[in-house]
Amino acid sequence: MSQYQAPVKDMMFVLDQLIGLDDLSKLKDCEGINSDFVESVLTSAAEIGSEVIAPTNVDGDRYGVSLKNGVVEVPPGYQEAYDQYIQGGWNGLGFKPEFGGQGLPAIIALPVNEIMMAANFSWSHLALLSQAAIRALDAHANDELKNLYLPKMVSGKYSGTMVLTEPQAGSDLSMLNTTAEPEQQHYKITGQKIFITWGDHELTENIIHMVLARLPDAPAGVKGISLFLVPKYLVNADGSLGKRNRVETVSLEHKLGIHGCATCVMNYDAAEGYLIGQPNQGLICMFTMMNDARIGVGNESVAIAERSYQQALAYAKDRIQGTTHDGGKRVSIIHHPDVRRMLLTMKSQIEVMRAMVYLTAAELDYSRKSESTEDKKHHVDRADLMTPIVKGWCSEICQELTSIGVQIHGGMGYIEETGAAQHFRDARITTIYEGTTAIQANDLVRRKILKDRGLALESLIQDIELTMSELDSSHSIIASIKEELGASLGFMNGAFAALLDHENDDNFIGSTSYYWLMMLGTLIAGWLAARSAQIAVDRIEDNAPDREFYKSKLVSCQFFAEQILPKVGSYARSISSGSDATMALSEDQF
């Protein structure tokens, strides 16, 4: 079973050479952000990830969590790993210094989170959901709540949750029934919630639940939802803990994967809560958490796929089976062409997935820190367009890659003891978390493309066309990549024309939005592969250090462009063919 080693070199390639830390350092409050500083942060994170957190992964899956006498028990090593994590200040990287954070941009916090998630995906959810809750509180809570709760949450002494759905609602939040009755300076929250990640545990002093509920006079549907802060333990004005709030864990979900993560059914029985933001504006407040979490799920997908790839690569190098094609000596399976194809399929897509996630985080930093209104809007629009693609495309590809990871192991991959199956099982939740792939796809097409008739998409296309004009066509590999990217862009333009022709056809949009998400994800990945390939060629020709790294990068980009990017054409044809077949059968004919 392989040990996890953070891919710091590839992370730095994306951050410093593909995105550009020099440009980022020009933003407000980002002075001093340079490659040496960022690499030192990632190297330190890699150390705690591989040496402290990763060793808890196997036991986390094997022992899982349990509910005994009302207390959630966690796997061995979890408490020690969490204590070291918060003692190192890792939880506060991206948050304001006034609340105890380090104020670093998202583009630095995100790779650190990737390391923690790859080390132990189940364990890492505790920190990730807390970070999302912190952002929602910082954006929407009043100063009294911020000052009382944020310092403890930023430090990691308190954790946070996102409490949305209920048994009868699922993804349809308009059906929520949890109530919030006003009482003096707070509200009484009553209702049952399901699928609450790390909804209960003893790893932190307190748990801060961000709960969606309805006020007595709330309008029906999503327009009548408000957001409330509901602590596990009440907090006194001086910051000390008070009595236990009326919040109870009813049961734990028994899941396909992430066995080491407590997914809870929670009961709120007139629990004391505090309004966040304005009444009936809870969904707007919650989307601060959800959009943050959606990019986080894309990052999760990179992390799990990377861990699966590292394990498959180690196995391929060690497993002796078969001989060379000339009947010579027995060899490890990495010498077999089809195993190499599978490994390169994993490697090439993980690298562009990482680039896509980090690039979106950079867009968030620019949107928050750019000084001109025009620049802010450009970056906000780009981040909005990219968010459902990052979440949906990366999580869908993660399913394929972790399955390939099992396949490389052969029969041993199907045996739990090797560990390959865990990554496959753990990955399955990523296409469901924070809205299924269909929800992301509909959001992409209806709200991010058709809402402004493709203005944000056209801006992205212009950037892709600019990259194509800058590619060195005299280099044979670059010329091949450019040709594939140009062909894919042409397919996408044809699909866009078909979409505009059917923009009022709900069946057309509903049955083709998945293909839109996968098409744009693959196209953007191809664009990033082309940019990465050009950088690699330039470094190789300049005799830069680490030439072997750049040669490997060039091969990965070439493989992606030639073997994966042509899928854009297939997705585009599915869009152009429309919804006729999809809607042709009656309910009884299925």
Side-chain angles (χ1 to χ4, degrees):
M1 186 178 298
S2 67
Q3 295 299 312
Y4 170 68
Q5 297 295 325
V8 173
K9 185 175 290 187
D10 194 65
M11 291 174 166
M12 287 303 302
F13 171 84
V14 175
L15 296 173
D16 195 27
Q17 298 179 58
L18 188 62
I19 294 174
L21 290 175
D22 288 342
D23 290 337
L24 193 72
S25 67
K26 298 173 185 176
L27 295 176
K28 180 183 177 182
D29 300 326
C30 291
E31 302 85 357
I33 301 296
N34 56 47
S35 59
D36 289 340
F37 171 75
V38 175
E39 188 167 6
S40 69
V41 171
L42 298 187
T43 300
S44 296
E47 184 175 342
I48 186 174
S50 62
E51 296 181 10
V52 177
I53 300 172
T56 68
N57 186 58
V58 174
D59 282 348
D61 184 62
R62 183 176 299 157
Y63 294 107
V65 292
S66 59
L67 181 62
K68 297 180 180 179
N69 300 318
V71 176
V72 174
E73 297 187 357
V74 301
Y78 268 38
Q79 185 71 64
E80 294 78 6
Y82 186 76
D83 290 345
Q84 291 194 48
Y85 172 80
I86 63 171
Q87 287 166 11
W90 295 108
N91 198 63
L93 280 186
F95 301 114
K96 294 177 180 177
E98 64 191 89
F99 298 119
Q102 299 179 42
L104 295 179
I107 195 62
I108 299 177
L110 206 71
V112 171
N113 284 343
E114 182 196 327
I115 291 170
M116 305 309 167
M117 290 185 290
N120 185 331
F121 184 50
S122 291
W123 176 94
S124 69
H125 282 78
L126 178 61
L128 298 173
L129 268 296
S130 298
Q131 291 169 15
I134 290 169
R135 288 191 178 89
L137 280 175
D138 188 35
H140 302 289
N142 60 40
D143 288 342
E144 182 181 358
L145 290 176
K146 287 182 184 180
N147 292 329
L148 188 60
Y149 288 96
L150 282 180
K152 293 288 182 69
M153 295 184 72
V154 169
S155 71
K157 291 182 180 179
Y158 291 1
S159 61
T161 69
M162 185 159 56
V163 185
L164 283 75
T165 196
E166 300 169 11
Q168 79 287 347
S171 296
D172 185 1
L173 298 182
S174 67
M175 300 301 294
L176 297 184
N177 292 331
T178 297
T179 60
E181 294 285 343
E183 183 170 309
Q184 297 180 345
Q185 301 302 311
H186 57 267
Y187 295 81
K188 293 296 186 182
I189 311 299
T190 301
Q192 188 173 100
K193 297 286 188 174
I194 61 172
F195 302 152
I196 311 307
T197 302
W198 282 115
D200 199 12
H201 55 84
E202 301 294 319
L203 294 167
T204 59
E205 296 175 7
N206 203 357
I207 302 172
I208 308 305
H209 301 287
M210 304 291 281
V211 184
L212 291 180
R214 293 185 182 280
L215 294 167
D217 58 350
V222 295
K223 295 182 179 180
I225 298 173
S226 300
L227 180 64
F228 300 87
L229 183 157
V230 183
K232 177 179 178 179
Y233 293 98
L234 300 179
V235 179
N236 300 315
D238 62 359
S240 62
L241 292 182
K243 65 180 181 179
R244 174 76 183 257
N245 205 356
R246 296 175 67 86
V247 180
E248 178 188 12
T249 303
V250 177
S251 63
L252 300 183
E253 307 287 4
H254 301 283
K255 309 180 296 289
L256 172 68
I258 54 170
H259 294 155
C261 176
T263 305
C264 304
V265 176
M266 307 292 299
N267 193 57
Y268 298 84
D269 182 15
E272 190 169 313
Y274 308 91
L275 182 67
I276 303 296
Q278 297 300 311
N280 305 324
Q281 298 295 308
L283 209 55
I284 294 174
C285 300
M286 184 61 80
F287 262 106
T288 299
M289 291 186 73
M290 290 180 67
N291 282 329
D292 182 82
R294 284 171 175 175
I295 295 173
V297 173
N299 203 25
E300 291 173 359
S301 303
V302 177
I304 303 172
E306 174 69 37
R307 187 74 187 264
S308 177
Y309 169 71
Q310 288 193 18
Q311 181 152 341
L313 177 62
Y315 184 83
K317 289 181 177 180
D318 290 343
R319 174 63 167 165
I320 305 298
Q321 187 167 304
T323 63
T324 56
H325 287 293
D326 59 5
K329 64 179 182 180
R330 289 173 57 79
V331 294
S332 56
I333 63 173
I334 198 172
H335 290 85
H336 300 319
D338 191 60
V339 172
R340 286 172 168 259
R341 175 193 62 79
M342 289 189 285
L343 287 169
L344 202 46
T345 299
M346 298 181 77
K347 173 180 166 63
S348 66
Q349 293 188 88
I350 291 167
E351 289 176 0
V352 290
M353 288 164 66
R354 178 175 293 118
M356 188 185 299
V357 173
Y358 290 11
L359 182 64
T360 306
E363 294 292 348
L364 289 176
D365 285 326
Y366 280 108
S367 71
R368 293 163 181 163
K369 297 177 181 295
S370 293
E371 296 186 359
S372 84
T373 302
E374 184 178 351
D375 284 347
K376 281 181 179 292
K377 184 180 187 310
H378 168 76
H379 293 296
V380 166
D381 290 346
R382 180 62 59 84
D384 285 348
L385 178 70
M386 293 287 291
T387 295
I389 300 170
V390 163
K391 194 280 179 186
W393 187 78
C394 290
S395 62
E396 287 287 341
I397 298 304
C398 183
Q399 312 303 309
E400 299 177 18
L401 301 190
T402 52
S403 179
I404 291 172
V406 173
Q407 186 72 18
I408 290 171
H409 285 74
M412 294 304 296
Y414 204 67
I415 305 301
E416 287 288 353
E417 283 75 9
T418 65
Q422 180 191 346
H423 309 311
F424 184 45
R425 289 186 285 99
D426 285 354
R428 195 62 193 85
I429 189 60
T430 59
T431 58
I432 301 170
Y433 266 159
E434 310 310 330
T436 62
T437 304
I439 290 174
Q440 307 304 319
N442 271 280
D443 176 58
L444 172 66
V445 175
R446 296 179 189 275
R447 298 188 183 93
K448 308 302 168 57
I449 297 177
L450 287 177
K451 184 177 181 180
D452 61 6
R453 291 186 63 81
L455 289 180
L457 179 60
E458 287 178 5
S459 174
L460 175 65
I461 291 169
Q462 290 171 3
D463 285 350
I464 296 174
E465 290 174 338
L466 177 62
T467 293
M468 291 179 62
S469 71
E470 296 171 343
L471 295 176
D472 180 8
S473 298
S474 66
H475 191 287
S476 61
I477 294 177
I478 297 296
S480 173
I481 293 173
K482 181 176 181 178
E483 181 179 357
E484 292 290 350
L485 184 58
S488 295
L489 194 56
F491 284 125
M492 195 284 300
N493 286 329
F496 184 44
L499 177 63
L500 291 181
D501 287 342
H502 296 83
E503 61 181 314
N504 296 316
D505 185 342
D506 286 340
N507 286 338
F508 182 92
I509 294 171
S511 60
T512 62
S513 58
Y514 165 81
Y515 300 117
W516 260 101
L517 186 147
M518 298 304 294
M519 179 183 66
L520 277 182
T522 308
L523 177 64
I524 293 168
W527 170 49
L528 296 172
R531 291 173 56 188
S532 299
Q534 186 64 67
I535 294 169
V537 166
D538 292 343
R539 296 298 185 274
I540 292 168
E541 292 179 348
D542 290 343
N543 289 314
D546 292 333
R547 291 180 81 244
E548 293 304 313
F549 170 80
Y550 292 113
K551 289 180 180 178
S552 173
K553 176 68 69 177
L554 183 58
V555 170
S556 291
C557 295
Q558 179 185 10
F559 182 91
F560 184 90
E562 294 176 354
Q563 302 296 323
I564 310 298
L565 187 54
K567 292 181 180 180
V568 168
S570 175
Y571 294 132
R573 284 188 290 274
S574 296
I575 293 168
S576 298
S577 69
S579 59
D580 291 344
T582 306
M583 305 304 296
L585 298 181
S586 69
E587 180 179 336
D588 293 336
Q589 286 177 298
F590 275 95

